[in-house]
Each structure stands twice: as structure tokens, then as C-alpha cells.
Amino acid sequence: MNLGISISLFLLVCGLSWTLAQNDMTCESKNETCDQCVSNVSCLWCISTKSCLTYPYKYMLPPHSLCPLNDARWGQCTINFQILIITLSVLGAIIIIAFFICLFHCCKCENCGNSIQERKMQRKADKRTNAQEQRRSEMMARHDEIRQKYGLSRGSAYAKFDNSA
């Protein structure tokens, strides 16, 4: 969760520092309305003091002494800064969890794929073995028919010599 907050706030600070470097107009002069104040991304509107302040870009979050997070507005007057931070951190956590779930699922499926291939190969080998055994039994049956036709027994080749003795 802290990673999501850190990334979003880092991007916020980077954007604000660039804007402040290029903006000559101070936020304190825009003290009339919230909409006028937050139209400049380097400005922060504080509801409790009803004042437009320059965003303290040296800090990740505006200090409580400047304006409480619950009363701070940045970007839009309707979005609470505290809720924005919580929402971004939850979204960041969801993305990280989804990434790890996908990573786990892909690794698991890779292992499953190998076992599926192994099972297919085993089934093919079993089919070949069964077909070979069936051919062998058919061949033995044909040989037995031929032996029966010519009066040869299936026993030992020396059995007929034993009977004549």
C-alpha cells in the first residue's frame, strides 16, 4: 500500500515542482474561490481558512499546520485530498495484488501445462502398448488355428517324441 502512495505522491510532487518553476503568479493572490484557486496545479485550497495556498512541494503531503488533509482541495474542489490519497493507495494495492495473482497463476499454469503434456504422452504410449498387445494376441490366435489345422500341439516341440517312445 505504501508503494502506491509513494508513487502517486512522487508524481504529484514532480508535477508541482515543474509547474511552480514555470509559474510566476502566486497562489495567495487567487483568494476568491476554490475553482479559481485549483485551476492552477501549484495551488492548494484550504476550506477551513478559505484561502489559496502554494502547494508545499518540498513535502509529500501538506503539513497539518498549513491545512488539514480533510480540508485540503487540489485539482478539483469536489475531491477531498485525504480521500484522493486513500483511493490512490487502494488502487495501487489492488494493482500490485492483481500482478502477483497473475504471476502466481502463470507459474502454476506453466507447471500444469507440462503435466498435461506428460499425461497426453502417457495416454499415447498406453494406446500403443494396448494395440501391440492386441496384435500379438491376434497373431497368437492365428498361429493356434494353423497348429490346430495341421494337428500340432502348442506344447513343447519334443512332446510328440515323448508319446512315440
Side-chain angles (χ1 to χ4, degrees):
M1 259 199 221
N2 291 335
L3 181 64
I5 293 172
S6 299
I7 290 172
S8 60
L9 292 177
F10 174 74
L11 294 173
L12 173 77
V13 170
C14 288
L16 285 175
S17 62
W18 181 80
T19 306
L20 284 173
Q22 294 199 353
N23 197 0
D24 294 337
M25 190 179 231
T26 62
C27 295
E28 284 75 13
S29 64
K30 296 181 176 185
N31 233 359
E32 290 93 28
T33 64
C34 176
D35 290 324
Q36 191 180 21
C37 177
V38 297
S39 64
N40 186 352
V41 292
S42 62
C43 297
L44 174 73
W45 179 260
C46 187
I47 291 178
S48 60
T49 61
K50 295 189 192 276
S51 60
C52 189
L53 308 165
T54 302
Y55 191 91
Y57 64 93
K58 292 181 181 177
Y59 305 105
M60 288 286 238
L61 299 172
H64 193 269
S65 60
L66 184 66
C67 186
L69 279 179
N70 201 26
D71 292 336
R73 301 292 187 259
W74 178 79
Q76 287 186 346
C77 293
T78 56
I79 298 175
N80 184 340
F81 199 75
Q82 187 174 12
I83 292 174
L84 177 68
I85 292 170
I86 292 170
T87 304
L88 289 177
S89 63
V90 168
L91 287 175
I94 289 171
I95 289 171
I96 290 170
I97 290 170
F99 172 76
F100 282 115
I101 288 173
C102 289
L103 187 69
F104 175 74
H105 181 69
C106 289
C107 291
K108 184 178 176 188
C109 285
E110 187 177 301
N111 293 338
C112 292
N114 291 340
S115 64
I116 289 172
Q117 290 174 349
E118 289 172 3
R119 283 188 228 140
K120 283 182 181 179
M121 290 173 50
Q122 184 64 36
R123 274 187 261 149
K124 285 181 181 179
D126 289 343
K127 283 182 182 179
R128 282 192 300 261
T129 305
N130 289 339
Q132 186 178 14
E133 288 176 7
Q134 186 178 4
R135 284 193 302 269
R136 185 177 289 136
S137 66
E138 289 172 0
M139 185 176 66
M140 294 298 276
R142 274 187 273 139
H143 288 176
D144 286 343
E145 285 176 15
I146 293 171
R147 282 189 193 103
Q148 223 175 13
K149 181 179 179 182
Y150 293 107
L152 301 173
S153 66
R154 188 176 172 140
S156 168
Y158 300 105
K160 73 177 170 183
F161 296 117
D162 289 340
N163 291 339
S164 62

